[in-house]
Amino acid sequence: MSEKKYIESAEIICVGTELLMGHTLNTNSQFLAKELVSLGIPSYRQIVVGDNDERLAKQIQESAMRADLIILTGGLGPTTDDITMSVAAKVAGKELVFDEESYKNMSAYFRRLCRNMPKSNKKQAMLPENATIFANHNGTAPGAMFTTSAPTDEDPDRIVHLILLPGPPSETTLMFNSEVRPVLENMSEYTFTTKYVHLFEIGESEAAERIGDLIDNQTNPTIAPYAAEGECMFRITQRTLQGEKEEDLISPIIATMQERFGQNIYEIGTRSMKQVAFDLLLKNGKTVSFAESCTAGMVSSEFVDVPGASQVFMGAIVSYGNSIKTNVLGVSEDMLGSLGAVSRECAQEMAEGARKLLKTDIAISITGIAGPTGETEKKPVGLVYLAIADENGTEVKEIHLSGNRMRIRRVAVLHAFNLIRKRLS
């Protein structure tokens, strides 16, 4: 039987009824798709199948007729509904055999937790014969790679590679990066270099129009636009044959984008807006505080997701009620009575009050109407005021956002970080 040297296509199958029912967010497919792209392996389908033997077997068989590689995640646990390993082995005509090394690794894992290993976990050490075993350094279920025959009229000796990974994302990510990726690097004909250009305060359609000539004439590299909540992004990917050295074709495209988008570009890379804001604060030796009304702590919560945030973030005031705005932040009662909490003046006084109270170099404030109630003729849902205060004074920004309550608040958070970016860059 001859084996294909290169993998030309892949499919991702995520197994679990909890995924189908929406109880668990399927982040594994996103992670694996990005990794396959970086390896030069096109993935054409992502499929979710419940914990059902018949449906899973049928899906593996169907995918095997289309793809050279099938990656399955989930269903490798010790319970009766964890069926992926047994079903995939049966489809491939493989016997499950006891793997002593995997069993020892599981036993060691439970000893580290100071727990006795349940007898049911022995099931996880039953793995397909002659499979490549992937050790699990973050859990109990080992992964495996083996092949199944999938002959066609053109290639009667055709085989397909199956890779089975555990379902928990922390286990999937670590196992793929440490165990699987080195194997797949030698199975792709191409390598792909990808860079991302992130934009803010411009819509996807307008952004695409500005570089329409680049998109229309793309060959290699390719340019793909993406829209996210409140922002958009371009993915630029150059394809290179394995072992070949080619000139950098991405940088000239990025240079053109910089000319046409200017300050709308907040990142060329993979950093989020909050990471960019944090890095600028750290680089400039500045501290920051927040005064939040309509976002009610979302800015602070998002910011502390960044590792090391405590180096620059001093604190925040959630001034949802007017009494907190006046009694804590020092916002004028007369101003609130005449202009209201959703006003330029209130945003300014909130930022200046937070900076003074929390003794930071920079303070950001947000006040607005997130809806669905609270609007007036002059102040519609989506009206938000933000202010940034520092030693050079206070700048107030008025924005008008659309969408439901949560979207308005989330996009307002991005605008808060963008104020920091613009002030410090």
Side-chain angles (χ1 to χ4, degrees):
M1 182 180 293
S2 63
E3 184 173 329
K4 285 183 72 74
K5 184 178 180 181
Y6 296 121
I7 292 174
E8 297 178 357
S9 62
E11 293 194 9
I12 300 166
I13 302 175
C14 297
V15 184
T17 302
E18 71 279 5
L19 299 174
L20 281 177
M21 298 181 69
H23 293 162
T24 302
L25 182 64
N26 185 8
T27 58
N28 284 339
S29 59
Q30 180 187 35
F31 165 75
L32 291 170
K34 287 183 176 180
E35 291 300 311
L36 289 172
V37 167
S38 71
L39 287 163
I41 300 174
S43 59
Y44 296 126
R45 289 177 178 82
Q46 298 176 14
I47 302 140
V48 178
V49 181
D51 303 310
N52 180 277
D53 296 58
E54 183 179 345
R55 286 192 287 271
L56 177 56
K58 183 178 180 181
Q59 184 56 63
I60 295 173
Q61 292 165 348
E62 289 179 358
S63 294
M65 298 310 298
R66 298 186 297 247
D68 303 317
L69 169 68
I70 304 170
I71 301 182
L72 299 100
T73 67
L76 302 187
T79 60
T80 55
D81 63 340
D82 291 309
I83 61 172
T84 306
M85 191 68 74
S86 60
V87 171
K90 185 176 180 180
V91 170
K94 306 284 187 181
E95 292 290 332
L96 292 178
V97 296
F98 180 72
D99 185 69
E100 183 69 34
E101 188 66 24
S102 294
Y103 188 76
K104 289 179 180 178
N105 289 340
M106 282 187 280
S107 299
Y109 176 82
F110 278 97
R111 284 197 299 273
R112 289 195 298 271
L113 297 179
C114 300
R115 291 167 49 194
N116 293 322
M117 183 171 69
K119 293 181 180 179
S120 59
N121 281 88
K122 184 177 180 179
K123 169 189 173 185
Q124 294 175 295
M126 300 299 295
L127 300 167
E129 57 184 337
N130 302 319
T132 299
I133 308 302
F134 302 126
N136 190 335
H137 301 291
N138 219 11
T140 58
M145 178 176 178
F146 50 97
T147 60
T148 183
S149 177
T152 64
D153 293 338
E154 295 79 12
D155 185 1
D157 295 325
R158 179 174 177 268
I159 64 167
V160 173
H161 297 272
L162 302 177
I163 292 179
L164 279 64
L165 302 173
S170 60
E171 298 177 33
T172 301
T173 302
L174 180 60
M175 185 179 292
F176 187 93
N177 287 332
S178 62
E179 305 272 339
V180 179
R181 187 180 180 90
V183 175
L184 293 181
E185 282 176 346
N186 296 318
M187 300 175 72
S188 172
E189 188 175 4
Y190 297 97
T191 59
F192 282 68
T193 302
T194 297
K195 290 190 177 180
Y196 300 92
V197 178
H198 297 261
L199 300 100
F200 193 66
E201 294 185 307
I202 184 172
E204 181 188 13
S205 58
E206 181 183 349
E209 285 180 3
R210 287 196 195 179
I211 58 166
D213 56 323
L214 300 182
I215 294 174
D216 291 341
N217 297 316
Q218 64 178 309
T219 53
N220 184 31
T222 59
I223 305 170
Y226 297 91
E229 193 169 59
E231 57 181 297
C232 62
M233 176 187 75
F234 288 100
R235 187 200 74 213
I236 310 162
T237 303
Q238 179 176 346
R239 185 181 69 177
T240 306
L241 277 169
Q242 282 278 14
E244 297 290 327
K245 288 187 177 181
E246 295 187 9
E247 64 175 308
D248 175 12
L249 302 176
I250 294 178
S251 293
I253 291 177
I254 290 179
T256 301
M257 288 184 172
Q258 289 174 312
E259 291 176 2
R260 299 185 188 182
F261 293 122
Q263 276 289 306
N264 288 124
I265 296 177
Y266 76 81
E267 168 67 351
I268 298 173
T270 58
R271 293 182 301 170
S272 63
M273 181 74 84
K274 60 189 174 187
Q275 181 73 60
V276 170
F278 166 77
D279 288 345
L280 285 169
L281 287 164
L282 192 64
K283 178 182 177 181
N284 288 276
K286 302 292 186 181
T287 57
V288 69
S289 59
F290 303 114
E292 303 186 53
S293 184
C294 64
T295 48
M298 288 176 66
V299 178
S300 307
S301 178
E302 280 286 314
F303 194 71
V304 297
D305 279 344
V306 179
S310 60
Q311 297 176 78
V312 298
F313 175 49
M314 298 296 104
I317 304 296
V318 177
S319 54
Y320 212 69
N322 284 353
S323 61
I324 304 301
K325 291 181 178 71
T326 56
N327 297 333
V328 177
L329 293 176
V331 174
S332 165
E333 288 188 16
D334 290 340
M335 182 276 298
L336 285 174
S338 59
L339 299 175
V342 182
S343 62
R344 302 181 66 90
E345 291 76 8
C346 182
Q348 177 176 339
E349 292 189 23
M350 285 173 62
E352 292 171 350
R355 181 169 180 259
K356 179 179 179 181
L357 179 67
L358 298 173
K359 297 179 173 59
T360 56
D361 299 307
I362 295 173
I364 303 289
S365 69
I366 303 183
T367 180
I369 302 173
T373 60
E375 68 177 337
T376 66
E377 184 177 346
K378 293 184 178 180
K379 297 181 179 181
V381 168
L383 173 64
V384 177
Y385 291 99
L386 303 97
I388 179 168
D390 65 6
E391 61 184 357
N392 297 313
T394 305
E395 174 190 348
V396 180
K397 182 179 181 63
E398 176 183 321
I399 58 175
H400 295 263
L401 304 175
S402 61
N404 61 25
R405 179 179 180 85
M406 184 54 69
R407 184 185 185 279
I408 289 170
R409 297 170 73 213
R410 284 174 177 160
V411 177
V413 169
L414 291 175
H415 278 274
F417 297 139
N418 193 48
L419 281 180
I420 297 172
R421 175 185 75 93
K422 283 190 167 182
R423 180 59 63 96
L424 293 182
S425 61

